[in-house]
Amino acid sequence: LNKALGADPVIVRMISSSCLSVFVPLLIVCCCFSSSADAYNNGVGLNPALGWNTWCTLSDCHNGDNQYFDRCNEWEVREIAEAMLTNGMYDLGYRYINLDDCWASMERDSLGNIQPDPTRFPSGMKAMADYLHSKGLKFGLYTSMGSSTCNSGGRPSKIPGSFGHYQADAMTFAQWGMDYVKVDWCGGDLIDPEKQHTEMSNALNATGRPIWLELCRGYSYDPIPPYVAKVAQSWRATGDHQDEWSNSKTVIEAFMNPSNKAVPHAWNYGDFLMTGGPGCDVNKTEHCPRQSDDEYRTTFSVWSIASSPLIVATDIRNLTSIMRECLLNKEAIFINQDYKSAAGELVGETKTGPCATSTDGGSPTCPVFGRKLSDGTYAAVLLNMGDTQSANVTLSYSWLGIPASKALSVRNVLKQKELGSFTGYFTALLDPHESVFIRLSE
C-alpha cells in the first residue's frame, strides 16, 4: 500500500501485535454527549459556525508595520459574499461573513451610539446586513469589552470599545441585523471577565434577536472557566492563531484535552483558519503563505475533528488548491458538523522511535485524535508533531472502543481515497508536521 494516501509521501503499514505495547491509550471514545446543563441555547449554535472573517484577507497580518493591517470595507465584503455563494462554500454550509476590528468609526455619534466608519461602509451596517441576508448569508462584527478595541485598523486614533455601552451597543447590533458578535478584551475598564461577559450576553439576549456570541479573551485558557459555556456559543481555546507552525502546534495541543467539552450551542474554538495563507497587499487576491500544505492539512484536520468553528481568515475570492482540498471537503465538514456525536479529542499516542520524546511543551510528539460519529463510523487524525524525523504513527482500534479483532475499511478524508481494510490498528508513516485524517467503517 505504498503511497496509498495519494500525493503525500505516506506509507501505510501493518505492524505486529507485539508492538502495540508502545502505544498509549488515553480514553475510550463514545458516540453520545454527557448531559450538559451549562450548554447555552439562545437559538443559534447547534452546529459549529462555518464562515469567513476579514482579519488576514487584505494583508500579511503578521507584519505589524503593514499599512493595510486589519482593514475591511463594504466592497470587499460584497465580493467575498459573491465568492462564497459561487465557489462551493455556501453549498457546504458556510454562512457567516464576519468583520474584525476594522469596521467602526473612531468616535461615537452625538448620542453616544457606535457607528461604522463612513469611508469604509458608506451605505451603513443595516444595508450591508440586508444585502447579505438577501443572499442567504449571515453577518457578524467585532467589539471589545473595554473602552477601546485592540487595533486601529489603519486609522490614526483608537476605536471605541463597548464598555459602558453594553446594552446600547447590543441593541444597535440587533437593529442592524447582526447575527454574530465577537468580543475581545482590550482597552481600559477590564475588571471582571465573567461579570462583563455575562452582561454582554444578557444585553444581546434582551434584544430578542438570536445572536452568536464569541468570547475571545479575558479568561484563563488553562483551565477555561465553566462560565463561558453559560453565556456564549463559542470561546477561544487558546491565544491567537497565526500562520506559523509553532503557533498552530500550540492550538492543536489545546484541543487535546480541553477543560471545557464542546457540546451543541457551546464550542471550543481554535481561532481563525489560515488555510492558504494571508493576503500580500491591499485589494489584491494573492496569498502569501507561511506554512506548508502539510501544515495547513494538519491544522484543518484537527479543527474539523474537534468540532471547532471553521472561520477562515484568508482570501476566499482566490481558492488555491490546498484551500479547495480542505475548505471544500464535504466529508471533513460532515465530521465537523456532526453535533450528535462528541467532539474529537486526544485518544492515544505513539511512544516509540522518533515519537518517544515529548514536544518542547511536554505534549505528545505523535498524538492521535479520534471520535465515534453519529452514523456509526469513526474518524481519527494521526499526527507527527516532530520537527526533524519521519515517524510511524499508529491508531489502535481499542482507543475508539473497537474490538481488536474487528476489520474496518479506512478512507483518507482529505484525499478522498480508500486505503483498504485493516484489523485492530492502522499505521501511517508521516513526515514532520504531517498528518492523515481518516474515516473508519465496516
Side-chain angles (χ1 to χ4, degrees):
L1 292 175
N2 285 3
K3 298 184 179 178
L5 298 185
D8 297 326
V10 177
I11 300 173
V12 181
R13 297 192 179 124
M14 297 299 293
I15 59 175
S16 65
S17 59
S18 64
C19 294
L20 288 179
S21 62
V22 300
F23 307 117
V24 181
L26 299 180
L27 56 87
I28 301 297
V29 174
C30 66
C31 66
C32 301
F33 290 115
S34 59
S35 62
S36 176
D38 290 341
Y40 169 56
N41 178 6
N42 71 339
V44 296
L46 180 64
N47 313 78
L50 300 175
W52 169 86
N53 184 284
T54 58
W55 185 248
C56 293
T57 289
L58 290 184
S59 73
D60 177 356
C61 59
H62 299 286
N63 182 354
D65 295 328
N66 190 321
Q67 62 176 322
Y68 303 121
F69 177 65
D70 189 23
R71 293 200 177 194
C72 62
N73 59 64
E74 68 178 60
W75 303 277
E76 174 200 20
V77 170
R78 287 175 179 270
E79 289 180 0
I80 289 290
E82 292 302 322
M84 185 177 287
L85 291 165
T86 58
N87 66 11
M89 295 180 73
Y90 183 87
D91 295 338
L92 291 176
Y94 291 86
R95 292 293 184 272
Y96 287 97
I97 302 286
N98 293 346
L99 309 178
D100 214 86
D101 190 1
C102 58
W103 65 271
S105 173
M106 291 182 289
E107 56 185 14
R108 292 175 176 271
D109 69 17
S110 60
L111 299 177
N113 297 313
I114 193 92
Q115 58 183 343
D117 185 319
T119 62
R120 296 184 178 189
F121 292 90
S123 300
M125 285 306 184
K126 188 177 188 307
M128 190 83 263
D130 289 346
Y131 167 77
L132 293 173
H133 292 157
S134 74
K135 301 289 186 178
L137 297 169
K138 297 180 181 295
F139 195 23
L141 51 66
Y142 163 108
T143 189
S144 178
M145 300 304 298
S147 54
S148 62
T149 66
C150 297
N151 295 289
S152 61
R155 276 77 62 86
S157 301
K158 290 185 177 180
I159 307 304
S162 287
F163 182 80
H165 301 269
Y166 295 160
Q167 290 77 18
D169 286 0
M171 184 59 68
T172 297
F173 298 156
Q175 290 171 347
W176 286 343
M178 288 298 155
D179 305 294
Y180 189 115
V181 172
K182 169 186 174 180
V183 293
D184 212 331
W185 192 252
C186 283
D189 302 300
L190 300 173
I191 303 164
D192 183 334
E194 180 172 358
K195 180 176 183 293
Q196 289 174 259
H197 284 151
T198 301
E199 288 177 0
M200 177 59 83
S201 177
N202 291 342
L204 289 170
N205 287 333
T207 69
R209 182 175 181 82
I211 297 175
W212 185 299
L213 177 60
E214 176 202 328
L215 306 183
C216 180
R217 296 185 296 166
Y219 49 87
S220 166
Y221 292 132
D222 187 20
I224 295 173
Y227 86 82
V228 300
K230 301 177 183 179
V231 301
Q233 284 66 54
S234 62
W235 54 86
R236 289 267 290 276
T238 188
D240 291 352
H241 180 221
Q242 300 175 357
D243 193 24
E244 300 167 351
W245 170 250
S246 61
N247 178 269
S248 293
K249 183 167 69 172
T250 299
V251 185
I252 290 169
E253 291 170 346
F255 276 131
M256 289 183 181
N257 292 295
S259 54
N260 271 17
K261 305 302 182 183
V263 296
H265 309 286
W267 303 104
N268 283 305
Y269 178 37
D271 197 17
F272 304 133
L273 282 168
M274 304 304 300
T275 314
C280 305
D281 203 347
V282 72
N283 293 331
K284 297 181 181 178
T285 59
E286 294 93 342
H287 295 270
C288 287
R290 289 174 176 247
Q291 294 188 85
S292 69
D293 283 357
D294 278 343
E295 290 163 349
Y296 287 131
R297 291 186 186 98
T298 294
T299 54
F300 178 79
S301 296
V302 173
W303 265 240
S304 296
I305 199 168
S307 282
S308 167
L310 303 180
I311 308 293
V312 60
T314 57
D315 200 335
I316 63 171
R317 293 171 295 185
N318 173 20
L319 290 183
T320 63
S321 59
I322 189 61
M323 294 175 77
R324 291 183 180 278
E325 179 182 328
C326 294
L327 303 179
L328 300 185
N329 189 290
K330 183 177 181 179
E331 195 167 7
I333 298 299
F334 166 79
I335 293 167
N336 172 265
Q337 295 287 290
D338 187 14
Y339 68 91
K340 295 181 180 180
S341 68
E345 295 181 5
L346 184 69
V347 296
E349 61 175 296
T350 298
K351 290 185 67 70
T352 186
C355 301
T357 58
S358 299
T359 64
D360 293 340
S363 296
T365 296
C366 299
V368 177
F369 286 75
R371 65 189 291 185
K372 185 175 183 179
L373 301 169
S374 61
D375 66 357
T377 64
Y378 299 82
V381 178
L382 290 66
L383 303 93
N384 178 2
M385 304 275 278
D387 295 325
T388 59
Q389 299 182 67
S390 298
N392 283 304
V393 182
T394 291
L395 162 70
S396 171
Y397 288 3
S398 63
W399 301 344
L400 298 173
I402 304 169
S405 59
K406 194 77 168 178
L408 294 176
S409 297
V410 178
R411 175 179 174 81
N412 185 322
V413 171
L414 294 188
K415 295 301 182 184
Q416 292 289 283
K417 290 191 176 182
E418 303 296 335
L419 305 179
S421 179
F422 299 84
T423 302
Y425 47 85
F426 172 86
T427 296
L429 178 62
L430 301 174
D431 288 336
H433 309 172
E434 189 180 12
S435 63
V436 59
F437 190 1
I438 58 172
R439 192 168 178 188
L440 304 94
S441 60
E442 295 189 26

